[in-house]
Amino acid sequence: AAATRHVDGATRVDTAERLDAAARLDTAARLDTAASARRRGVLATPLLLLAAPATAKPLATADRVPVFVITTADGSTPLFTDAGATRAAFFAERRDAEQRLKSLKVDDAAVMSLPLSEALELKGKPESDLGGAFTLSAHKSQSDDASAIAGTAADPDDLPLFFDPRLAAPSGEIYVFLKKQDLDKSWTKAVGGKVSAATGFPNYRVTSVRALADKSNTPFVIVSSEKF
């Protein structure tokens, strides 16, 4: 499956059913899903209180969240880059994909962006059809933060999502962030630009992409500050 370049943008994705008590989504779990393989880029800066659709399906617009993969130089074919040439990673952050590419020391490969939806679709296909397996790869700092919040090790084949149920759209959708620091920025904006004991601090919760994919009827908006 070919990966293509996308215009700069930010990302919002609706998924899953509304959190009544955020404690029910206490830790990261798993998800595999097939979603639209459409390739689009949209504005990707975390925006607080952004209006979201009234209804949501699991990862219904995951085509607006970028992930990054190492491909052939023309971007047509993802490369299996582990020692056995049987696994390829979809990186949540471009810098990790570029660092991995640099370590390969090859001239005929490139880092390409593609929608999370397309990545999950490929991940869900049998390895025998693809010649190998695809994994999800979060930046180490995000995995470490998720592990500390959840009190258990983050799944190495998943993307953690950080949230505070008070950060939500007017229609009730809860924002879940691929980067903890983006949640912090949105919280700072929400309390007027300066966080203090008087304004309160984020109440960090963590779930994951794979956890949300199996949910339904609870709206979420996945936020990524990465660009296609």
Side-chain angles (χ1 to χ4, degrees), residues 137-195:
S137 180
H139 190 267
K140 184 179 183 299
S141 65
Q142 306 306 326
S143 294
D144 289 347
D145 284 340
S147 297
I149 294 168
T152 186
D155 186 343
D157 185 14
D158 204 351
L159 303 180
L161 295 168
F162 304 90
F163 68 98
D164 182 321
R166 295 169 293 180
L167 289 175
S171 50
E173 290 83 358
I174 293 173
Y175 294 111
V176 288
F177 299 82
L178 278 163
K179 299 178 184 179
K180 178 177 172 288
Q181 59 265 39
D182 287 341
L183 186 159
D184 292 335
K185 291 177 182 177
S186 287
W187 179 261
T188 299
K189 179 179 177 181
V191 299
K194 186 175 182 179
V195 179

Side-chain angles (χ1 to χ4, degrees), residues 28-171:
R30 295 167 173 38
L31 111 134
D32 279 314
T33 189
S36 165
R38 229 178 292 172
R39 296 159 189 178
R40 292 179 295 176
V42 296
L43 195 67
T45 309
L47 297 177
L48 185 66
L49 300 181
L50 181 73
T55 59
K57 297 177 181 178
L59 298 178
T61 54
D63 53 342
R64 298 181 179 182
V65 173
V67 292
F68 306 92
V69 64
I70 298 171
T71 71
T72 51
D74 62 1
S76 64
T77 307
L79 297 179
F80 297 102
T81 58
D82 71 326
T86 59
R87 292 188 177 276
F90 293 120
F91 297 92
E93 298 188 27
R94 183 184 291 274
R95 59 176 170 168
D96 288 338
E98 291 177 343
Q99 183 176 4
R100 176 60 177 147
L101 174 59
K102 185 177 181 180
S103 73
L104 296 176
K105 298 180 180 181
V106 295
D107 297 324
D108 56 348
V111 171
M112 304 297 287
S113 64
L114 73 162
L116 175 61
S117 59
E118 185 173 335
L120 292 173
E121 185 176 7
L122 285 170
K123 184 173 172 56
K125 292 182 179 295
E127 292 184 28
S128 57
D129 292 350
L130 301 172
F134 289 93
T135 61
L136 299 174
S137 180
H139 190 267
K140 184 179 183 299
S141 65
Q142 306 306 326
S143 294
D144 289 347
D145 284 340
S147 297
I149 294 168
T152 186
D155 186 343
D157 185 14
D158 204 351
L159 303 180
L161 295 168
F162 304 90
F163 68 98
D164 182 321
R166 295 169 293 180
L167 289 175
S171 50

